[in-house]
Amino acid sequence: MKLTKYLTFAFVAILIGIFSASCEDIGPGALEKPDGGDVTIDTIFASAEYAERVLWNSYRSLRSGIVKNGRSHALGQDLQEDITDLAHSTKTWGTAKVMYYAGGLNSSNASDPGNWLNPMCILPYGDSPGKGIYTFQAIRNCHTFLDHVHKVPDMTDGHKEMLKAEAKMIIAYNMTELFRNYGGVPWIGKVYAPDDDFTNPRLTAEATVDSIVKLIDEAVPELPWQIAEAEMSNWAGRFTQAGAMALKTRLLLFAASPLLNSEQPYLDGDAAQQYFTWYGGKDDSHWQRAATAAKDLIDKIAIEGGYALEMPATESVQGYRDAYKQAYMSRRSTEVLISIRDGYESQKRWGGGMYDTNLNYGGGTCTAEFMKMFPMADGTPITDPASGWDPAVDPLGTEGAGPARKYNRDPRLYETMTCEGDDFGGEVLKTWLNKPKGKHVPLRANQNSASTFIRKFIPGWAGGLYPIQEHHFAYMRLPEIYLSYAEALNELGQTNEALPYVNMVRNRVGLKDLEQVGSWDQASLRDQILNERACEFGFEQVRWFDMTRHKLENSFAQKGTFLQIAKNGSAYTYNYTPISTNSKVWWIDFDEKWYLLPFPLNEIQKGYGLIQNPGW
Amino acid sequence: MNIKNIIKALFVSCASFLTIGQTTAQEADSTLVNLGYGTTVEASQSTAATGVATAKDLSKYFAINPTNALYGQIPGLTIMQNGGDWWDQSASMVVRGIASNNNGSYPLVLVDGFERHLSTITVAEIESVTVLKDAGATAIYGQRGANGVVLITTKRGLDEGMKVDFTYEYSTNQAFRMPQMLDAYGYASAMNEALALDGQDYLYSKEALDAYKNGTYPEYYPNVNWSDELLANTGFVHDFNTTFRGGAGRTRYFVTLNYMDGNGLLKQDRNTNDYSTQLNYRRANMRANLDIELTKSTLMKFNMAGRISGTNRPGAFSPANDNPPSLFQRIYNTPANAYPVRYSDGVLGGSGTYPYNLVGDVNESGYAVTHERTFYSDLTLEQDLSAITEGLSVSGSVSFDNNVIYLDDQTRNYAYAERTAEIDEINGELYDFTSKDLGELTPLSPRSAFGGQHRQSNVIIKANYEKEWGMHQLNALALFHTNTEVGMWKNSTYHRINYAAQLRYAYNKKYMADVTMSYSGNNILDKENRFQLYPALSLGWLISEESFLKDSKIVNYLKLRASAGLVGLEQSQWDLHRTMYSGGNGYYYGGNNKYTGGLEEGRLANPNVLPEESMQANLGVDAKLFGRLNLNADAFFERRSNLLVSEGSNVSQVIGVPARLVSNGIVENKGFEIGALWQDQIGDFSYMIGAQYSMAENKIIEQNEIFREFDYQYSTGQSIGQTFGLVHTGFWGENDGLNGTNVAPDGVVYSYTQELKPGDVKYVDQNGDNVIDQFDYKAIGNSWLPEVNYAFTLGAEYKGVGFNAILQGASNVSVNLNTQGLYWPLYNNNNISTFSNDRWTPATAETATLPRLTPERNENNYRTSTVWQRDASFLKLRTLEFYYHLPTAIVEKVKLKRGKIFFRGMNLFSLDNLDIIDPEETRAVYPTLQSFNVGVSVGF
């Protein structure tokens, strides 16, 4: 019995011991343990480095137009140009085919496409991390940043103002993208909490433009004119004053264009009645605003310097090509005003990205119509009988080999699309179609449809491998400012004043002044400027918005053709075949609703006042 | 089956975990059933819905993982076969269906009261498996109990000297079913057929086809049956088990040692290497369960169990690789004509398209080993405090468990080559030879990696009070339980606490009322919400004790049970109540792809997230009739609420951050279980026939589903896991007037294709908008989880010779056959199996059940639809066993006390709708197995 008592005592003592000694680990206290290393909003804005990272994360919402393996910010795994008249995708599963060619886009599938393989529209109204779309997240982040950055202790006021200006530009960029795709949109002017009353109807087109312009105007004075040379290797790619002014030009030119600035809306409906999709009338002052914005930037460049067209080292085909390539491809290009950074693609063979999705599977196949937009090497349009261009005889102007090889067309043609016999990173391109099966290195599946595919952004093979290289996407380049200024002047009736700005862009690649190749009135110069923009900015996501803002119904509805080259012995024959793979519903029945995107039905159903665009 | 369990409970009691002096009652004729936290109660006094399988039931199976010995044993416990490496085919368990997707809907599995993986112990250690099914039984587990609780009790010592038993079993196994891939000629012909149907040129010339068929040029036109080349017909397992069980004086012990060693189906070439690349698994399990009476009123229980296990496999498939290839995917997906095993000069074959050689993978890629070490220990002290108050006792337990995995490789690359040649049409000779070396031979290189660690510790303190006065019986229990579970990282650590109390009252042993209460929580949720109260009430009425039935010859035993209560389930997502920033993507500023990191706002906080809550009600009846027939039936209803669902359907996307998760989801689950067992003895002949049937049907009531244009698109109202797909109505034919576009003759646009061709799938346009698209998806078939499970148990014995059989089946279950290569042939360089024999061709248009072949990724034909869905119901003979207890006279001659030999087979047949593959595992993985065993068991 004594032993019993003793043991009972010991037992209870042990239990109490276990319980109390390790109370922190096993007792109720365990649940209250502080969690280390957690990062909340308070932690973020207690440190300059953390606060900046919120901004760096927001920069990611800038969407590159280049297709990368596993990432596709443009149009799923297709390029935006694939839905224009410049190019066509022969991929049967691609976004271009499913959503656009087949007319599959509607208000029900316009939202988050989720998985990176799922088809999507140009810019879904709602974020889609799987597709690299962070529009609303970035806007929220930037507002969070604007609201809290004043708390950051280890940051100078000047630096804070500059970062705030960058945050405003990221908002402005995203709102501009929404505006170009949807017209007037709800204004997201703060950090919304889920319980906030979110009755936030669309702003009118005019109010949307004004709100964005206001943001840009606030940001401009606080931004550095350019990234200082010493900072380039670390910080190139951030918003600058010149970039902000460029975005403003692009926005105002879009706003001034006939889609919104017209006697009639492009389609009637609720959204048109409430001026979400147009201004409600035609007013030249919109063109004047665009012209002023462009001219402000041109003047400022004249004073401050720092930006200039990349000019050829020698006045030769190679010189022009190199200058043009430097202009769009290089992160150090002096004419890039807004550069979008998307890392790099590692060396691989048929791995994906630009190679696989385009050259291999058939995206970015250039139409014959695009090929025909490029003038002769001296600038004469091919439609001019004096050009001597013959669709059946060496239409690409490249026949001949070695030193005897000619380059009779606009040098940009050879940089934009693959041309038979051209050098492709050390290998000779064979783009004729009647090659024996399986022996068509380096091009693969695409060989069946056409002989001209995208080569822009693709430097070529090095022994069948894609060389590792830096990527960037030149979202806006200086030539766009010149051409936009010219376009606005022309619309304001100042056709002759416009010509020099077009010529600056032409001369860089050796094309003659416009005056030397024709005579120009307002209508013909308008067409010529759009043509020039297509040639200069092929695959740089300019054409689609040119087609919508000018309501180029014909460019949508005209059935495209492919140039197909056949080789017999050493002789080439050139055929122009109507596109048969993935035909477009637009070719049969084009609907003007396509000028703007549909809002997702899910989002409209949430009942905060979103009104659908006409026709959807 | 429940009846059977009740009967079992009558004969074999479970280990008494709490009550002092009853530890020797295990094989005594007692009537105890196991309830939560080690409480035991007489079966006639239990008000809970439980099911039991005993060691004897489990011993009918040969199972490496104890989960595989539970098929058809307990009504309401669904056991689902899994494929995977043969040592890894532990089955999934679900109690009474599912009512949420949280934590995989798995029940809480406790081994001797502590959460442990069932697959880490052996069948031989298990005394009983008890499933707690209703709130009356599970509420005591509070926030962990809603999915049901499975209690595993291990064997303990006996107070009767020493009993030694030794069992050896040899098992040979083979694939239960394996898909058959076409041979080279079949593959090449199918490819040509596919190309022709797509309007393309053939790929294989007549000469090539002949070469495949006749084996003319085996180097350049090979025909390799990769399964034959790489797989042996049978694998084997040796299983040795020794137990020492006994006790003397104040000490009782149960000690077991188990060693198992087995090889998989791989065929390795032992001449190539001085090491094995076979799929091998071996393990040693040991357990020592000690009961020591420190004093007359103090009992110490000390349990220690450990396992050392290791696997071996070819280096190419090392789990230490980031994304190791799957052996069986490669076996199935490499066409018979891809390349020869070796060229005549001994060089391994290969190709750019299939950049590996399977024989090289298996024999020449080195080997990869895993080592796993598991250690479980727990100590319990039970103190009878009758000295203070009669009927009072306390106990305290601590446990420490650890599991570590370590990976150890010796791998290398091998060289192989692609060689091609064309066949001349005229003279049939080869020409245009090409040869390309691929891969490079490297020496074996070592690599080691840490595969993971998992730790758990527990402290349980209990007080118990029993009192009987007059007709009244009272039993009270109060306990405190704290648990810490640490995964690989600190941030996945769980701390859990449970305060629970139970009051059981019986009047005249006829009317029972039990009240259970748990207040429990963990560190996952906001402080305000983490602790919740879970009460339950259960009632019982032992009708057969009433005067009007007391002397009935027909009704020997009859009890009614009813229970209702609330049980919880912890959330498994962390930091739902806080908005965290984490390393989101940054941006590539500057040059040289310099990356500047960013910080990203996480999901919006919702401080109001609650643990899942399950309101459960149960009605049950237990009966014994005619002295032979045991019946048992239960019906249940469950309403699971507080399921996490996204707020995204209400809140605009434009707020720019993932919508909050809110506890708004509701699922209802209802069903019933019936079990019957007829058991009789006629002279020396005894027999038993059992049957059980269970059903559980769930329905999503609320899940904040986004707006859908058409009612049939809503998954709300359907069951969890319901498949949505297109409904097909046959295939387009050659004379249907297809016009080369994607517009069908009836004007319906097929949005998933550019051009409809004969042999393409014809779908129902559900919404009548003349477009086949995502809006035509509707609920098709059933969920992946069978709603109905049933089983038959048969057994008979005559003078020591006997047999046992368990048939188990499931129905109301669907499977979608969408594995490329096996069911979706050819495209993406995939292979083709005999499954495609039923495909559409112009000749078989009338009878075809599958669409035409195509070399393309055909979005119209290959998508979730009724074309690819199959009814996955089955009835399997899970086990059939014959045994012979050697007569005592013979046994004693060799100085033994007992002797038994037995033969048995597992998974001998299956009646189902999928003849080519196991309906429970349809993917391209290691096949499920069928085994034939012989064993001997002796005792002394």
Side-chain angles (χ1 to χ4, degrees), chain B residues 21 30 34 117 160 166 273 287 366 372 377 413 473 526 564 608-609 636 638 658 670 678 714 741 747 821 842 844:
Chain B
S30 115
N34 214 346
H117 286 290
E160 48 181 49
F166 175 80
N273 309 310
R287 167 175 291 276
E372 188 172 353
S377 65
N413 298 329
Q473 241 186 340
D526 191 45
N608 301 320
V609 170
F636 70 91
E638 174 184 13
K670 57 181 190 289
W678 178 277
Y714 280 98
T741 67
T844 63

Short mmCIF file of all heavy atoms in Angstrom, two decimals, chain B residues 21 30 34 117 160 166 273 287 366 372 377 413 473 526 564 608-609 636 638 658 670 678 714 741 747 821 842 844:
data_model
loop_
_atom_site.label_atom_id
_atom_site.label_comp_id
_atom_site.label_asym_id
_atom_site.label_seq_id
_atom_site.Cartn_x
_atom_site.Cartn_y
_atom_site.Cartn_z
N GLY B 21 -7.07 -4.41 -14.99
CA GLY B 21 -7.51 -5.76 -14.68
C GLY B 21 -8.20 -6.44 -15.83
O GLY B 21 -8.54 -7.60 -15.74
N SER B 30 -15.81 -12.15 -23.74
CA SER B 30 -16.34 -10.90 -23.20
C SER B 30 -17.12 -10.19 -24.29
O SER B 30 -17.19 -10.63 -25.43
CB SER B 30 -15.21 -10.04 -22.66
OG SER B 30 -15.08 -8.87 -23.41
N ASN B 34 -14.79 -1.39 -28.84
CA ASN B 34 -13.85 -0.31 -28.68
C ASN B 34 -14.50 1.01 -29.08
O ASN B 34 -15.06 1.11 -30.16
CB ASN B 34 -12.69 -0.59 -29.64
CG ASN B 34 -11.39 -0.14 -29.08
OD1 ASN B 34 -11.37 0.61 -28.11
ND2 ASN B 34 -10.33 -0.61 -29.68
N HIS B 117 0.19 6.10 -39.70
CA HIS B 117 -0.18 5.56 -41.01
C HIS B 117 -0.38 4.06 -40.93
O HIS B 117 0.50 3.33 -40.49
CB HIS B 117 0.91 5.87 -42.04
CG HIS B 117 0.90 7.30 -42.45
ND1 HIS B 117 -0.12 7.82 -43.21
CD2 HIS B 117 1.75 8.30 -42.20
CE1 HIS B 117 0.13 9.11 -43.41
NE2 HIS B 117 1.25 9.43 -42.80
N GLU B 160 -0.59 -16.10 -19.71
CA GLU B 160 -0.60 -17.56 -19.71
C GLU B 160 0.66 -18.14 -20.33
O GLU B 160 0.62 -18.78 -21.37
CB GLU B 160 -1.84 -18.07 -20.46
CG GLU B 160 -2.03 -17.39 -21.79
CD GLU B 160 -3.28 -17.89 -22.51
OE1 GLU B 160 -4.37 -17.94 -21.89
OE2 GLU B 160 -3.15 -18.23 -23.69
N PHE B 166 4.99 -18.94 -35.53
CA PHE B 166 5.83 -18.59 -36.67
C PHE B 166 5.03 -18.85 -37.94
O PHE B 166 4.43 -19.91 -38.09
CB PHE B 166 7.10 -19.44 -36.66
CG PHE B 166 7.95 -19.22 -37.87
CD1 PHE B 166 8.78 -18.10 -37.96
CD2 PHE B 166 7.88 -20.09 -38.96
CE1 PHE B 166 9.54 -17.89 -39.09
CE2 PHE B 166 8.65 -19.88 -40.09
CZ PHE B 166 9.47 -18.77 -40.16
N ASN B 273 25.07 -6.16 -64.77
CA ASN B 273 25.55 -5.39 -63.62
C ASN B 273 25.88 -6.30 -62.45
O ASN B 273 25.35 -7.39 -62.33
CB ASN B 273 24.45 -4.43 -63.15
CG ASN B 273 23.91 -3.60 -64.28
OD1 ASN B 273 24.67 -3.01 -65.02
ND2 ASN B 273 22.59 -3.58 -64.44
N ARG B 287 7.72 -4.94 -33.16
CA ARG B 287 6.85 -4.30 -32.18
C ARG B 287 7.01 -4.99 -30.85
O ARG B 287 7.15 -6.21 -30.79
CB ARG B 287 5.39 -4.36 -32.63
CG ARG B 287 4.38 -3.99 -31.55
CD ARG B 287 2.96 -3.96 -32.08
NE ARG B 287 2.76 -2.86 -33.00
CZ ARG B 287 2.48 -1.61 -32.62
NH1 ARG B 287 2.41 -1.31 -31.34
NH2 ARG B 287 2.30 -0.67 -33.51
N GLY B 366 21.90 2.41 -63.87
CA GLY B 366 22.25 2.39 -62.45
C GLY B 366 21.04 2.02 -61.61
O GLY B 366 20.09 1.43 -62.11
N GLU B 372 13.66 4.04 -45.62
CA GLU B 372 12.66 4.69 -44.78
C GLU B 372 12.77 4.12 -43.38
O GLU B 372 12.94 2.91 -43.20
CB GLU B 372 11.26 4.45 -45.34
CG GLU B 372 10.20 5.25 -44.61
CD GLU B 372 8.84 5.18 -45.28
OE1 GLU B 372 8.74 4.63 -46.39
OE2 GLU B 372 7.87 5.68 -44.68
N SER B 377 6.57 5.27 -30.58
CA SER B 377 6.68 4.85 -29.19
C SER B 377 5.62 5.55 -28.37
O SER B 377 5.29 6.71 -28.63
CB SER B 377 8.07 5.17 -28.63
OG SER B 377 8.25 6.57 -28.61
N ASN B 413 24.15 7.57 -67.29
CA ASN B 413 23.53 7.63 -68.60
C ASN B 413 24.11 6.53 -69.47
O ASN B 413 25.21 6.04 -69.22
CB ASN B 413 23.80 8.97 -69.27
CG ASN B 413 23.21 10.11 -68.46
OD1 ASN B 413 22.20 9.94 -67.79
ND2 ASN B 413 23.86 11.26 -68.51
N GLN B 473 -26.45 2.86 -13.67
CA GLN B 473 -25.04 2.67 -14.01
C GLN B 473 -24.54 3.95 -14.61
O GLN B 473 -25.14 4.49 -15.55
CB GLN B 473 -24.93 1.55 -15.05
CG GLN B 473 -24.13 0.40 -14.57
CD GLN B 473 -23.92 -0.61 -15.66
OE1 GLN B 473 -24.67 -0.63 -16.64
NE2 GLN B 473 -22.92 -1.43 -15.51
N ASP B 526 -8.04 31.66 -37.10
CA ASP B 526 -8.03 32.82 -36.23
C ASP B 526 -8.42 32.40 -34.81
O ASP B 526 -9.25 31.51 -34.61
CB ASP B 526 -9.03 33.84 -36.76
CG ASP B 526 -8.88 35.16 -36.07
OD1 ASP B 526 -7.73 35.61 -35.93
OD2 ASP B 526 -9.90 35.75 -35.68
N ALA B 564 -27.51 11.63 -32.49
CA ALA B 564 -27.45 12.87 -33.25
C ALA B 564 -26.37 13.72 -32.61
O ALA B 564 -26.16 13.65 -31.40
CB ALA B 564 -28.79 13.61 -33.20
N ASN B 608 -13.24 35.08 -40.52
CA ASN B 608 -14.43 34.33 -40.10
C ASN B 608 -14.46 32.89 -40.58
O ASN B 608 -15.49 32.24 -40.50
CB ASN B 608 -15.69 35.05 -40.60
CG ASN B 608 -15.76 36.46 -40.06
OD1 ASN B 608 -15.43 36.70 -38.90
ND2 ASN B 608 -16.12 37.40 -40.91
N VAL B 609 -13.34 32.40 -41.11
CA VAL B 609 -13.33 31.00 -41.55
C VAL B 609 -13.49 30.10 -40.33
O VAL B 609 -12.87 30.31 -39.29
CB VAL B 609 -12.02 30.66 -42.28
CG1 VAL B 609 -11.90 29.17 -42.51
CG2 VAL B 609 -11.96 31.40 -43.60
N PHE B 636 -28.24 6.73 -42.05
CA PHE B 636 -27.64 7.97 -41.54
C PHE B 636 -27.95 9.14 -42.45
O PHE B 636 -28.25 8.99 -43.63
CB PHE B 636 -26.13 7.81 -41.39
CG PHE B 636 -25.39 7.72 -42.71
CD1 PHE B 636 -24.90 8.87 -43.32
CD2 PHE B 636 -25.22 6.50 -43.34
CE1 PHE B 636 -24.23 8.80 -44.53
CE2 PHE B 636 -24.56 6.42 -44.55
CZ PHE B 636 -24.06 7.57 -45.16
N GLU B 638 -26.22 13.15 -42.99
CA GLU B 638 -25.17 14.08 -42.59
C GLU B 638 -25.32 15.37 -43.37
O GLU B 638 -25.55 15.35 -44.58
CB GLU B 638 -23.79 13.46 -42.88
CG GLU B 638 -22.66 14.44 -42.62
CD GLU B 638 -21.28 13.89 -43.00
OE1 GLU B 638 -21.24 12.86 -43.69
OE2 GLU B 638 -20.29 14.53 -42.63
N PRO B 658 -7.00 37.50 -55.26
CA PRO B 658 -7.87 36.33 -55.17
C PRO B 658 -8.97 36.53 -54.14
O PRO B 658 -8.72 37.01 -53.04
CB PRO B 658 -6.92 35.21 -54.77
CG PRO B 658 -5.59 35.64 -55.28
CD PRO B 658 -5.58 37.14 -55.17
N LYS B 670 -26.22 11.10 -47.38
CA LYS B 670 -27.11 10.19 -46.66
C LYS B 670 -26.96 8.77 -47.21
O LYS B 670 -26.47 8.59 -48.33
CB LYS B 670 -28.56 10.65 -46.75
CG LYS B 670 -29.09 10.82 -48.14
CD LYS B 670 -30.54 11.31 -48.05
CE LYS B 670 -31.24 11.28 -49.40
NZ LYS B 670 -30.76 12.32 -50.32
N TRP B 678 -25.14 -15.45 -41.24
CA TRP B 678 -25.73 -16.72 -40.78
C TRP B 678 -24.57 -17.61 -40.42
O TRP B 678 -23.68 -17.85 -41.23
CB TRP B 678 -26.55 -17.34 -41.91
CG TRP B 678 -27.15 -18.65 -41.54
CD1 TRP B 678 -26.54 -19.86 -41.59
CD2 TRP B 678 -28.48 -18.90 -41.06
NE1 TRP B 678 -27.39 -20.86 -41.17
CE2 TRP B 678 -28.59 -20.29 -40.84
CE3 TRP B 678 -29.58 -18.07 -40.77
CZ2 TRP B 678 -29.77 -20.87 -40.35
CZ3 TRP B 678 -30.74 -18.66 -40.31
CH2 TRP B 678 -30.84 -20.04 -40.09
N TYR B 714 -24.85 23.50 -63.74
CA TYR B 714 -24.51 23.69 -62.33
C TYR B 714 -24.04 22.38 -61.70
O TYR B 714 -24.68 21.35 -61.85
CB TYR B 714 -25.72 24.21 -61.56
CG TYR B 714 -25.92 25.69 -61.74
CD1 TYR B 714 -26.82 26.19 -62.67
CD2 TYR B 714 -25.19 26.60 -60.99
CE1 TYR B 714 -27.00 27.55 -62.85
CE2 TYR B 714 -25.36 27.97 -61.15
CZ TYR B 714 -26.26 28.43 -62.09
OH TYR B 714 -26.41 29.78 -62.25
N THR B 741 -16.62 21.36 -93.76
CA THR B 741 -16.49 22.44 -92.77
C THR B 741 -16.82 21.85 -91.41
O THR B 741 -17.05 20.65 -91.28
CB THR B 741 -17.48 23.59 -93.05
OG1 THR B 741 -18.79 23.09 -92.82
CG2 THR B 741 -17.35 24.06 -94.49
N GLY B 747 -26.86 21.75 -89.50
CA GLY B 747 -26.64 23.15 -89.19
C GLY B 747 -25.93 23.41 -87.88
O GLY B 747 -25.69 24.55 -87.51
N GLY B 821 -2.46 7.19 -75.36
CA GLY B 821 -1.75 5.96 -75.66
C GLY B 821 -2.61 4.74 -75.38
O GLY B 821 -2.85 3.93 -76.25
N PRO B 842 -14.59 3.00 -92.10
CA PRO B 842 -15.71 2.95 -93.03
C PRO B 842 -16.41 1.59 -92.98
O PRO B 842 -17.63 1.50 -93.12
CB PRO B 842 -15.05 3.18 -94.39
CG PRO B 842 -13.85 4.03 -94.08
CD PRO B 842 -13.37 3.54 -92.74
N THR B 844 -16.57 -0.51 -90.33
CA THR B 844 -17.21 -0.85 -89.06
C THR B 844 -18.14 0.26 -88.57
O THR B 844 -18.48 0.30 -87.39
CB THR B 844 -16.14 -1.09 -87.97
OG1 THR B 844 -15.44 0.15 -87.78
CG2 THR B 844 -15.17 -2.17 -88.35
#
